[in-house]
Amino acid sequence: GYGTNLTTQLWIAARYLESLSLLAAPLFIRRKLGAGWVLAGYAALMLILLAFLFGGLFPVCYVDGIGLTRFKVISEYVISAILLGALVSLLRKREEFDRDVLALLVSSIIVTIGSELSFTFYVGFFDISNLIGHYLKIISFYLIYKAIIETGFSRPYNLLFRNLKQREAALRESEERYHSLFENMSEGFALHEMILDERGTPSDYRFLDVNPAFEALTGLKRDRIVGRLMTEALPGEDPKWIRLYGEVALTGEPIHFDNYSPVLKRYYEVFAYRPVPRRFAVIFMDITDRKLAEMELRKQTALLEEANREMESFSYTVSHDLRAPLRAIAGYSRMILKRRADDFDEETRRQFNLIRGNARMMEQLIDDILVFSSLGRQTMVMSESEMDMVGMFGEVWEELRAIDPGRNMTLKMEPLPPAKGDHALIRQVITNILTNAIKFTKGRDAAVIEVGGRVKENETEYSIRDNGAGFDMQYYEKLFTVFQRLHSNVDFEGTGVGLAIVQRIVQRHGGVVRAEGEVDKGACFSFTLPKKCQNIEV
């Protein structure tokens, strides 16, 4: 007596409820739901829908003689879209379902979409498209029945305990990984059970399991120690380990330490922790080679410190004991020449002057040796701000020019980038290189010295080029060696230590020194300073 419209309205309301339920269902996977609350919620929703339907508040869906209303057709498409969303949501959660159950649910949703679309074509209530829609709906419900009801009775494990099944598979995989790690790890591993006396005090411990690395690192075979007490397996071992490991087993506080085993005559790095109460596990590695290397290093360090003390003592001796006779030689030679110069012929005066000159050179050599030997021990004081290299080159040049103001010398200097480093030591580098350039250009009518600088990716380079005597590149390796000279002392005075000092200072800053030259065509010396200088022992 209600006509075909109410039937169609009931259908649309039920399909909205079904499609929205399928869309929301995957969101509640792994969440605990109370069956009573779910049933109560659906019952309340159903009563509200029925009140709307029988109270005439629900939109008209079918008009006799005309067919489906616009609301009904649009609703079928909306329901189909909701079902597509439910299908996507279900597929995103596919790992939560048994493969067969998932296939049945997906098929059911697809058939339901086909059913909804078929209901958009009929005009008469008993048209063929309406019939096809009902048949598809029967198939859809059958597929849901197969997925949920039949599976729940015939294969409940697949439906109700899938998560448990997955956890068991994950557990087996985890056990396999643990076993592989246990067997193949390079560190030794041993699991123990702590034995307590009647007062609850650790008195011994038993070996429960060891890995192959344990056998390789200790020489103890698994079948000889597993199940045995420590006092039985290692009768000569220090009993302090029972107390130490007992604290780990009882308190759960892990420990990490290095240990020497007098029984095994090896050093080990040990980490011990408690996996469960009254048990402890030990992971260790053999560090005997490292310990022996450390002891050898300490021994060599002690010898080096002793050698440094001896060097300092030697430097003191050189500084005080050798200077005195040199000064005496130079002083007495000067006094003799002053008093008896008129009595000496030219050759005798020349020989006395030669004595004085060699005494001065010897004293300069002593000074250079002391500077060179102290560079390795001297603490570098890095400048907080960048050094003005233009100003530093200029100051050193003016000081050197004042020594021989009559010479025709020119300094050409490009704009130089600033640098970081020990101000006093870098000034020493500049002084030594410019002194060399002035010395080896003394045979030129006009000495020309050019200074340049450029910034590279991680360092700054400075170069000093002169038009002096130059050198043969085949003797390059001798340039920065102490006491090695490429020119005779008659032609150019010097001690052969200046460039060695330059190289050591630059290397301590982390830079390098280079040189290029050609005989009688001048030379170019360059050095680099890192943008982030550091004190490097050389």
Side-chain angles (χ1 to χ4, degrees):
Y2 287 97
T4 53
N5 177 54
L6 180 61
T7 307
T8 309
Q9 288 176 322
L10 285 167
W11 175 271
I12 287 295
R15 298 292 75 76
Y16 267 119
L17 188 60
E18 177 188 0
S19 61
L20 291 171
S21 297
L22 287 170
L23 180 65
L27 302 177
F28 292 92
I29 292 176
R30 294 185 180 273
R31 296 184 182 182
K32 187 175 182 180
L33 292 175
W37 287 105
V38 173
L39 288 173
Y42 271 94
L45 189 58
M46 184 188 69
L47 290 174
I48 294 171
L49 285 172
L50 289 175
F52 270 81
L53 288 164
F54 286 91
L57 300 176
F58 199 87
V60 176
C61 293
Y62 184 83
V63 178
D64 289 327
I66 297 177
L68 302 175
T69 65
R70 185 176 182 83
F71 169 77
K72 202 274 185 182
V73 174
I74 293 175
S75 291
E76 296 288 10
Y77 288 122
V78 171
I79 290 168
S80 297
I82 295 172
L83 289 170
L84 280 174
L87 181 61
V88 172
S89 181
L90 185 67
L91 291 174
R92 285 181 176 177
K93 299 283 187 177
R94 58 182 173 273
E95 69 277 358
E96 303 289 342
F97 294 89
D98 177 78
R99 185 177 60 182
D100 295 338
V101 172
L102 180 65
L104 290 169
L105 290 175
V106 169
S107 301
S108 173
I109 292 175
I110 293 173
V111 172
T112 301
I113 293 173
S115 170
E116 297 303 317
L117 293 176
S118 70
F119 285 121
T120 63
F121 299 117
Y122 71 88
V123 176
F125 202 68
F126 299 101
D127 286 356
I128 187 64
S129 64
N130 196 354
L131 180 64
I132 292 173
H134 281 86
Y135 280 138
L136 291 175
K137 196 61 195 171
I138 291 171
I139 294 172
S140 170
F141 279 130
Y142 175 73
L143 292 171
I144 291 178
Y145 165 81
K146 294 283 290 184
I148 306 299
I149 308 303
E150 183 179 290
T151 303
F153 281 112
S154 63
R155 291 180 294 146
Y157 183 86
N158 289 30
L159 187 66
L160 302 177
F161 304 108
R162 174 165 175 78
N163 288 343
L164 178 62
K165 183 179 179 182
Q166 289 177 328
R167 291 192 190 100
E168 289 179 348
L171 181 61
R172 283 195 299 272
E173 184 180 354
S174 177
E175 288 177 347
E176 289 172 359
R177 286 199 302 265
Y178 166 77
H179 184 73
S180 175
L181 177 64
F182 183 80
E183 292 292 324
N184 298 312
M185 63 189 296
S186 59
E187 293 82 8
F189 178 89
L191 180 64
H192 310 83
E193 178 185 27
M194 184 57 61
I195 307 299
L196 307 179
D197 59 19
E198 63 278 0
R199 294 175 297 177
T201 303
S203 60
D204 209 338
Y205 57 82
R206 180 179 288 106
F207 287 88
L208 298 180
D209 201 1
V210 298
N211 69 342
F214 177 96
E215 297 179 287
L217 293 175
T218 65
L220 301 173
K221 297 302 180 183
R222 185 179 185 278
D223 54 2
R224 297 283 301 274
I225 62 170
V226 170
R228 298 183 66 188
L229 298 175
M230 185 275 282
T231 52
E232 298 172 347
L234 302 170
E237 192 62 275
D238 193 331
K240 73 176 181 180
W241 301 117
I242 297 175
R243 175 184 56 79
L244 189 65
Y245 291 136
E247 292 180 1
V248 176
L250 296 180
T251 66
E253 291 293 329
I255 56 173
H256 180 210
F257 59 91
D258 294 347
N259 169 47
Y260 176 73
S261 172
V263 176
L264 302 175
K265 295 180 172 58
R266 308 291 292 175
Y267 288 92
Y268 298 101
E269 182 179 2
V270 182
F271 177 74
Y273 67 97
R274 183 180 76 175
V276 294
R278 292 189 58 178
R279 290 190 179 184
F280 68 94
V282 174
I283 301 175
F284 64 94
M285 63 182 69
D286 190 334
I287 58 170
T288 303
D289 293 341
R290 189 183 81 189
K291 281 292 184 182
L292 294 177
E294 288 176 356
M295 288 188 287
E296 180 63 24
L297 180 61
R298 284 195 293 270
K299 179 181 176 182
Q300 294 299 326
T301 301
L303 292 174
L304 182 59
E305 290 174 352
E306 179 63 26
N308 283 335
R309 286 192 292 270
E310 291 177 357
M311 178 63 74
E312 289 175 2
S313 176
F314 171 74
S315 299
Y316 180 84
T317 300
V318 169
S319 178
H320 293 80
D321 296 351
L322 293 185
R323 286 180 191 274
L326 284 174
R327 288 169 180 165
I329 292 172
Y332 284 122
S333 299
R334 184 175 63 255
M335 290 169 59
I336 292 173
L337 279 175
K338 186 176 181 180
R339 293 177 182 177
R340 305 294 300 275
D342 295 337
D343 299 335
F344 294 154
D345 57 21
E346 186 65 29
E347 177 62 19
T348 303
R349 285 195 296 271
R350 188 190 69 81
Q351 290 173 350
F352 268 96
N353 285 324
L354 191 61
I355 292 173
R356 293 177 60 197
N358 277 279
R360 285 195 302 271
M361 183 181 295
M362 187 64 181
E363 190 169 359
Q364 182 61 50
L365 180 60
I366 291 171
D367 290 338
D368 289 346
I369 291 173
L370 290 174
V371 171
F372 183 78
S373 64
S374 66
L375 281 175
R377 303 187 304 274
Q378 182 178 340
T379 301
M380 289 187 4
V381 181
M382 295 295 183
S383 58
E384 295 183 1
S385 58
E386 292 184 322
M387 297 180 293
D388 177 13
M389 298 298 281
V390 174
M392 195 180 299
F393 269 97
E395 290 173 7
V396 172
W397 175 255
E398 291 302 323
E399 292 175 5
L400 295 177
R401 273 181 58 86
I403 298 175
D404 192 358
R407 280 192 59 186
N408 182 10
M409 298 187 296
T410 303
L411 178 68
K412 297 180 179 180
M413 186 161 46
E414 300 174 356
L416 302 177
K420 293 279 287 185
D422 185 306
H423 186 279
L425 292 180
I426 297 302
R427 199 177 196 280
Q428 180 72 50
V429 168
I430 295 172
T431 300
N432 286 13
I433 296 179
L434 286 180
T435 300
N436 250 30
I438 292 172
K439 177 172 62 177
F440 287 102
T441 56
K442 70 177 185 179
R444 299 290 187 259
D445 294 334
V448 179
I449 300 170
E450 301 174 19
V451 178
R454 58 174 177 161
V455 177
K456 297 184 177 180
E457 183 177 357
N458 297 314
E459 61 185 11
T460 308
E461 183 180 56
Y462 303 93
S463 60
I464 300 92
R465 183 181 300 276
D466 64 64
N467 63 337
F471 62 90
D472 193 334
M473 286 293 288
Q474 68 173 319
Y475 303 114
Y476 178 86
E477 296 300 328
K478 294 183 178 182
L479 275 176
F480 304 103
T481 305
V482 180
F483 305 133
Q484 294 290 334
R485 294 174 49 82
L486 304 188
H487 302 84
S488 70
N489 200 43
V490 175
D491 296 329
F492 302 101
E493 296 180 355
T495 61
V497 184
L499 290 178
I501 291 174
V502 167
Q503 185 181 58
R504 175 162 287 193
I505 292 174
V506 173
Q507 285 179 345
R508 285 202 63 186
H509 281 76
V512 293
V513 182
R514 301 182 183 90
E516 295 178 2
E518 189 175 347
V519 175
D520 206 35
K521 291 187 178 181
C524 178
F525 287 87
S526 62
F527 64 93
T528 64
L529 294 174
K531 291 181 180 179
K532 293 183 178 179
C533 287
Q534 54 185 327
N535 185 357
I536 299 176
E537 297 294 335
V538 293

